[in-house]
Amino acid sequence: MLATRMLDETKPAALPGTENARDPFFSPDGKWIGFFADGKIKKISAQGGAPIVLCEARDARGGNWGEDGNIIAELDATGALSRVPAEGGTPQPATKLQAGVGIHRWPQLLPGNESVLFTASASMIAFEDASIAAASLKTGQVKVLVHGGYFGRYLPTGNATGHLV
């Protein structure tokens, strides 16, 4: 179950309706929390309320909410990333699998919402040979940034650059 805690409070408040929730992520404005539960991608107000189902997500592995009103997510553990409207609807392909790659997982939209960072792997189980890659959401071009890594994250440094960790 998900819970929130205001910084000026000491106790967290459970969010009813988020039983079995996993892999939560915030909307860019911090007002919503996206999460996966019961074979679906859902969102709930950070203040509470009823969860809203956005689409099916049979066996999801990570999502990230973009400033453009779309969520980039891996919805079924066996394929590429999808674009899901934050208001719900039919998922659309966001990336394409390359030769020798069976899955894309754990997306993070990069500043500007034009590219997405993710893990690319041939296997659903072993990630020793996985890569951290970035794909243009406009052209689909994929660039491998690190071979032999997974679950990469971009951390901005405040000077128009950043670090890949």
Side-chain angles (χ1 to χ4, degrees):
M1 177 174 267
L2 298 178
T4 58
R5 183 181 64 84
M6 300 303 287
L7 294 177
D8 61 349
E9 297 176 0
T10 58
K11 294 188 179 191
L15 295 173
T18 63
E19 295 78 11
N20 303 315
R22 61 183 177 82
D23 298 332
F25 52 93
F26 279 96
S27 63
D29 62 9
K31 293 180 180 181
W32 293 91
I33 303 169
F35 63 97
F36 302 96
D38 308 317
K40 299 180 182 351
I41 185 172
K42 301 177 181 185
K43 71 178 184 179
I44 189 168
S45 168
Q47 301 298 314
I52 300 167
V53 173
L54 302 180
C55 71
E56 296 292 318
R58 186 171 53 92
D59 194 12
R61 295 290 189 269
N64 194 234
W65 199 313
E67 294 173 1
D68 65 352
N70 288 296
I71 294 168
I72 302 295
E74 197 287 326
L75 300 176
D76 65 11
T78 60
L81 301 176
S82 296
R83 180 182 285 116
V84 178
E87 298 305 316
T90 303
Q92 300 297 318
T95 61
K96 293 181 184 178
L97 297 176
Q98 306 78 37
V101 174
I103 57 170
H104 291 167
R105 286 190 174 172
W106 306 306
Q108 179 190 16
L109 285 157
L110 296 174
N113 280 345
E114 293 183 8
S115 299
V116 61
L117 186 71
F118 59 94
T119 297
S121 179
S123 169
M124 293 184 351
I125 301 169
F127 290 94
E128 292 82 12
D129 290 326
S131 297
I132 300 170
S136 166
L137 294 173
K138 292 183 182 207
T139 67
Q141 181 180 5
V142 174
K143 181 177 182 178
V144 172
L145 305 174
V146 176
H147 183 72
Y150 62 95
F151 208 90
R153 286 293 175 256
Y154 169 79
L155 300 176
T157 58
N159 60 1
T161 62
H163 297 286
L164 177 63
V165 296

